[in-house]
Amino acid sequence: MAEAVHRLIAHDGLDAATMAAVAREAGFSVGLVQHYFTSKDDLLLFAYERMTADQLGRVARLVEEGEAAQQPIRAILKRCMPQLWPLDAPRRGEYRVSRVFHARALDNPTIAEVGRRTAAVVRAQIARAVANGKECGEVEKGTDAELAAVELAALIEGLADDLYREPGPPVGERTMDGAAQAVLESRLRALFPGECRHYA
Amino acid sequence: MAEAVHRLIAHDGLDAATMAAVAREAGFSVGLVQHYFTSKDDLLLFAYERMTADQLGRVARLVEEGEAAQQPIRAILKRCMPQLWPLDAPRRGEYRVSRVFHARALDNPTIAEVGRRTAAVVRAQIARAVANGKECGEVEKGTDAELAAVELAALIEGLADDLYREPGPPVGERTMDGAAQAVLESRLRALFPGECRHYA
DNA sequence: CCGATAACCATACGACGGTATGGCAACGCC
DNA sequence: GGCGTTGCCATACCGTCGTATGGTTATCGG
């Protein structure tokens, strides 16, 4: 059912995610989804939490893989962050859903809390990455990990908006896609200038 | 009427901005707002355009003032950008409205176009500021103005989200407010390291 | 002064969405 | 084998919202 909600919102917006539509999309009856979710808000909240959990899970897996392959932290971050960018169809869908809930969070404390928490998790993960970088020599000692995390997290979010608005084709003489990648790359290179001294 | 729409959305969300509510808030009858706006979408679009125009106008005025006072470009930018941040009540209102329309833009091409245009204007203004900075010595010649503009614009947007979520009080041991200011300050200082050679 | 256009209003209409209700089938415990 | 609990459904209900309609007042050019 959560998948149905996700599909509907991703494809046609929140208004399309009516109880009847969700039931139809999921192949059940309206009564059944009522049986599992006491209200529509419950349903939406569940779908939202599920999606954010998915996203965080994906990046966690990437981090794990990267660490296993002994990649430098900068490289890991560079692979993780575009996970939250609307670069292909499924992620454009996720972006759409996230924006919808972002707006809904303005008047729904529960949803706002989910958003707040995931944002905090993202920041914390980046901060940890930077701290680790200081440990292993990729990051200069003077760098403020918390501040760097705030910056990078904000950058990802902001660039995601631009990427959604201007997909593929050019803005000016460069594609937004390339610009976003370039900006991220440049900031990561500035924040992680060194080489890891642990891995040969 | 546009003001009424703005107030309602800013205070109670999009759902509160019903035709009847808008009419009541504005002190008119439902029929009258129908008289001026052929549909609700029209009304919302108008209110949205009005708000973005307001914002851009404010920024433009600040730029003008700054130039008149012969402030360095970095200082001007530093004063302009928080205009788009939800730091006080009216700007929190604007932020809320902008998020609502941001979501609505996902399924409404006209609104999306307005968002796209204003984002482009913001980017262009920043890019021009950077270019001017190169001219007058505040910015290093090697800096890519377009790229810097994309970065700064994205940064503002992303930080705005954080600021709305975590107003005033602390996250970790620093207020988000301070963190955002610090991040912006640091990036501006990195991108505008020099002094203007025109003004004594 | 008059007639038309614009400002303005109260209300009716039609549609739709979330929830409530009552009921049917199936399964498992006594 | 009965019986209650659970899974599941169709549909009725009620509120609300956007819009349509018909009419009333005011404004103003000729």
Side-chain angles (χ1 to χ4, degrees):
Chain A
M1 293 187 186
E3 280 177 34
V5 173
H6 184 97
R7 274 197 299 273
L8 286 170
I9 296 183
H11 200 266
D12 294 312
L14 182 60
D15 294 346
T18 157
M19 285 282 155
V22 170
R24 187 167 355 105
E25 174 80 18
F28 299 126
S29 75
V30 181
L32 189 58
V33 1
Q34 285 188 114
H35 183 70
Y36 288 112
F37 299 95
T38 60
S39 78
K40 188 184 180 182
D41 279 344
D42 270 21
L43 172 60
L44 293 179
L45 180 65
F46 183 79
Y48 183 39
E49 280 176 326
R50 211 185 86 99
M51 189 192 73
T52 61
D54 270 15
Q55 291 179 319
L56 293 182
R58 279 208 314 267
V59 322
R61 219 165 42 82
L62 278 183
V63 169
E64 217 171 315
E65 284 178 20
E67 284 176 349
Q70 302 200 336
Q71 292 175 352
I73 299 178
R74 169 159 36 84
I76 299 181
L77 283 177
K78 188 162 191 312
R79 282 191 58 213
C80 285
M81 297 186 154
Q83 282 296 320
L84 305 177
W85 282 355
L87 294 175
D88 52 16
R91 277 178 245 134
R92 277 181 79 81
E94 280 185 355
Y95 174 83
R96 289 169 58 85
V97 176
S98 84
R99 287 303 113 179
V100 162
F101 280 104
H102 197 139
R104 213 177 160 76
L106 296 173
D107 298 300
N108 184 323
T110 331
I111 289 181
E113 183 53 32
V114 175
R116 196 166 13 241
R117 232 173 32 224
T118 65
V121 169
V122 169
R123 271 202 309 271
Q125 283 186 333
I126 299 177
R128 201 168 58 86
V130 175
N132 288 347
K134 286 205 266 189
E135 207 75 30
C136 83
E138 283 189 60
V139 177
E140 284 177 25
K141 288 294 183 195
T143 305
D144 183 326
E146 296 287 343
L147 229 49
V150 170
E151 183 195 335
L152 286 177
L155 206 52
I156 306 175
E157 285 242 338
L159 289 174
D161 289 346
D162 289 335
L163 283 170
Y164 184 83
R165 275 192 286 252
E166 250 92 55
V171 49
E173 54 202 20
R174 192 187 344 240
T175 75
M176 195 70 234
D177 196 292
Q181 294 281 0
V183 167
L184 179 58
E185 172 77 23
S186 129
R187 289 310 296 145
L188 283 179
R189 232 164 239 295
L191 289 166
F192 293 77
E195 297 292 329
C196 178
R197 80 169 72 87
H198 292 150
Y199 311 140
Chain B
M1 291 186 187
E3 281 177 34
V5 174
H6 184 96
R7 274 197 300 270
L8 285 170
I9 296 183
H11 200 267
D12 294 311
L14 182 61
D15 294 347
T18 159
M19 283 284 154
V22 169
R24 190 169 352 105
E25 174 81 18
F28 299 126
S29 76
V30 181
L32 189 58
V33 0
Q34 286 188 115
H35 183 71
Y36 288 111
F37 299 95
T38 60
S39 78
K40 189 184 182 183
D41 279 345
D42 268 23
L43 173 59
L44 293 178
L45 179 66
F46 183 80
Y48 183 41
E49 279 177 325
R50 213 186 85 100
M51 190 193 73
T52 60
D54 270 16
Q55 291 180 320
L56 293 182
R58 279 207 314 267
V59 172
R61 218 164 43 81
L62 278 183
V63 170
E64 217 171 315
E65 283 178 23
E67 285 177 346
Q70 302 201 337
Q71 293 175 351
I73 298 178
R74 169 160 36 84
I76 298 181
L77 283 178
K78 188 162 191 313
R79 282 191 60 212
C80 285
M81 296 184 155
Q83 283 295 319
L84 306 178
W85 281 353
L87 294 175
D88 52 17
R91 271 170 253 137
R92 277 181 79 81
E94 280 184 357
Y95 173 83
R96 290 169 57 85
V97 176
S98 83
R99 288 302 113 178
V100 162
F101 281 105
H102 197 139
R104 213 176 161 76
L106 296 174
D107 297 301
N108 184 323
T110 331
I111 290 181
E113 182 54 32
V114 175
R116 194 164 17 238
R117 230 171 36 223
T118 66
V121 169
V122 169
R123 271 202 309 271
Q125 283 187 333
I126 300 178
R128 201 168 59 86
V130 175
N132 288 347
K134 286 206 266 190
E135 207 75 30
C136 83
E138 284 188 60
V139 177
E140 285 176 23
K141 288 294 181 193
T143 305
D144 183 327
E146 297 286 342
L147 229 49
V150 170
E151 181 195 336
L152 286 176
L155 206 54
I156 307 176
E157 284 242 339
L159 289 173
D161 290 347
D162 290 335
L163 283 169
Y164 184 83
R165 275 191 288 251
E166 249 90 54
V171 50
E173 54 200 17
R174 194 192 336 248
T175 74
M176 194 70 235
D177 196 292
Q181 294 281 359
V183 167
L184 179 59
E185 172 77 23
S186 129
R187 290 308 296 144
L188 283 179
R189 233 166 239 294
L191 288 167
F192 293 77
E195 297 291 329
C196 178
R197 79 169 71 90
H198 292 150
Y199 311 142

